[in-house]
């Protein structure tokens, strides 16, 4: 099977960069990590490596063999190779036993699969979270200029060269409403819908994104927001 992400992950100046996703990094800075983490659609591993450095034992899953190779390289360089396992698999096919992962990350993968599959995976992911679990999810929205829906389809901003891989653009509030469903047993720490420019692969382009940071309902970690609002002074 050809890998549409081979070239973005093959280059020195790697796609999506070295820095982990912002809200995930803010959470890892503030709340002590540890336990098992799952990074779905891990790509070249910017979030997997941050999770490993924060003390998690990480399983990074992606279809891109080149991405997984780069994750192993980066983990070695960061001195966390023992804490990162890679798995070449379709995220829809992985085993997700309930109450197993203390952190689950899905940075732009629920939008790379059809809506029905995305809903089924969302249900299994949220069930796989432990009672001390944190969930970080990012998806492309209909604000993205690659979307065939409003308002994105009216945008004249440049579209990502990998936009064809995004097949399920989320509508306004959709991810928030999934997270607020009481059956999912989540408490939202942060949610936003925003635009962002991407300079990390191909010609510069615009994205519309929805970003969710949530924990299990009933969990109250020492989270002061992003940026941290009024943390305790040392
Ligand atoms: C936009 S990239 C994001 C990569 C990474 N999460 C990041 O933010 O740096 C999307 C990733 O999802 C992977 N992907 C797409 N569909 C997938 C599927 N069904 N199963 C596993 N991985 C998938 C792609 O190979 C790609 O690496």
């Amino acid at each position: 099977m050809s890998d549409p992400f081979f070239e973005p992950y093959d280059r020195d100046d790697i796609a999506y960069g070295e820095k982990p996703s912002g809200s995930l990094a803010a959470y890892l800075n503030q709340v002590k990590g540890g336990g098992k983490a799952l990074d779905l659609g891990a790509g070249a591993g910017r979030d997997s490596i941050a999770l490993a450095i924060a003390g998690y034992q990480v399983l990074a899953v992606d279809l891109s063999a080149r991405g997984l190779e780069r994750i192993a390289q980066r983990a070695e360089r960061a001195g966390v190779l023992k804490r990162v396992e890679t798995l070449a698999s379709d995220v829809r096919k992985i085993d997700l036993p309930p109450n197993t992962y203390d952190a689950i990350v899905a940075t732009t993968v629920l939008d790379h699969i059809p809506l029905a599959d995305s809903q089924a995976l969302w249900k299994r992911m949220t069930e796989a979270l432990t009672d001390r679990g944190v969930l970080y999810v990012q998806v492309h929205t209909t604000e993205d200029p690659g979307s065939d829906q409003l308002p994105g389809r009216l945008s004249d901003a440049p579209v990502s060269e990998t936009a064809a891989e995004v097949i399920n653009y989320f509508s306004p509030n959709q991810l928030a409403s999934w997270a607020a469903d009481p059956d999912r047993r989540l408490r939202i720490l942060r949610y936003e819908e925003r635009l962002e420019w991407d300079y990390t692969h191909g010609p510069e382009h615009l994205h519309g994104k929805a970003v969710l940071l949530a924990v299990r309902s009933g969990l109250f970690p020492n989270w002061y927001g992003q940026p941290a609002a009024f943390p305790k002074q040392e």
Side-chain angles (χ1 to χ4, degrees):
M1 197 172 73
S2 77
D3 174 6
F5 289 90
F6 183 90
E7 194 282 326
Y9 297 153
D10 192 46
R11 66 170 87 117
D12 288 343
D13 194 8
I14 207 159
Y16 314 116
E18 302 275 343
K19 276 206 232 154
S21 301
S23 299
L24 175 66
Y27 184 89
L28 297 177
N29 274 338
Q30 295 178 37
V31 183
K32 192 171 160 10
K36 288 172 79 168
L38 178 66
D39 188 359
L40 295 168
R46 61 190 174 123
D47 293 334
S48 298
I49 303 300
L51 287 161
I53 290 172
Y56 290 95
Q57 191 66 42
V58 185
L59 176 61
V61 182
D62 203 284
L63 285 174
S64 171
R66 186 64 185 129
L68 297 175
E69 279 171 14
R70 297 306 297 269
I71 293 178
Q73 261 176 22
R74 286 168 134 184
E76 184 158 30
R77 216 183 308 137
V80 290
L81 190 54
K82 286 200 173 125
R83 285 214 283 276
V84 180
E85 186 188 342
T86 59
L87 174 66
S89 171
D90 189 315
V91 289
R92 292 168 288 188
K93 295 193 178 146
I94 64 162
D95 196 23
L96 278 171
N99 194 25
T100 302
Y101 290 102
D102 303 297
I104 299 182
V105 170
T107 305
T108 61
V109 73
L110 288 174
D111 46 13
H112 284 59
I113 56 180
L115 175 60
D117 293 351
S118 181
Q119 284 169 314
L121 178 59
W122 168 257
K123 185 167 182 290
R124 291 200 305 128
M125 278 162 66
T126 52
E127 285 166 2
L129 208 58
T130 63
D131 284 347
R132 64 186 197 102
V134 59
L135 177 71
Y136 175 81
V137 174
Q138 200 183 107
V139 289
H140 290 82
T141 62
T142 53
E143 259 191 299
D144 192 286
S147 170
D148 62 357
Q149 293 163 62
L150 290 172
R153 84 175 146 83
L154 291 185
S155 169
D156 55 7
V159 174
S160 166
E161 93 280 16
T162 55
E165 304 312 311
V166 181
I167 58 172
N168 170 30
Y169 289 92
F170 279 59
S171 53
N173 295 338
Q174 186 176 359
L175 183 61
S177 69
W178 286 16
D181 176 352
D183 290 346
R184 297 301 101 227
R185 296 191 299 119
L186 295 172
R187 188 168 75 86
I188 297 172
L189 297 186
R190 191 166 204 270
Y191 179 80
E192 71 182 4
E193 294 182 1
R194 64 168 190 234
L195 295 168
E196 63 183 38
W197 282 93
D198 188 343
Y199 299 94
T200 73
H201 64 104
E204 66 185 50
H205 52 275
L206 186 68
H207 282 302
K209 294 273 183 76
V211 181
L212 169 74
L213 179 70
V215 289
R216 265 277 172 251
S217 48
L219 183 69
F220 295 89
N222 289 331
W223 166 249
Y224 291 90
Q226 180 202 349
F230 295 101
K232 190 170 189 303
Q233 291 182 353
E234 297 303 328

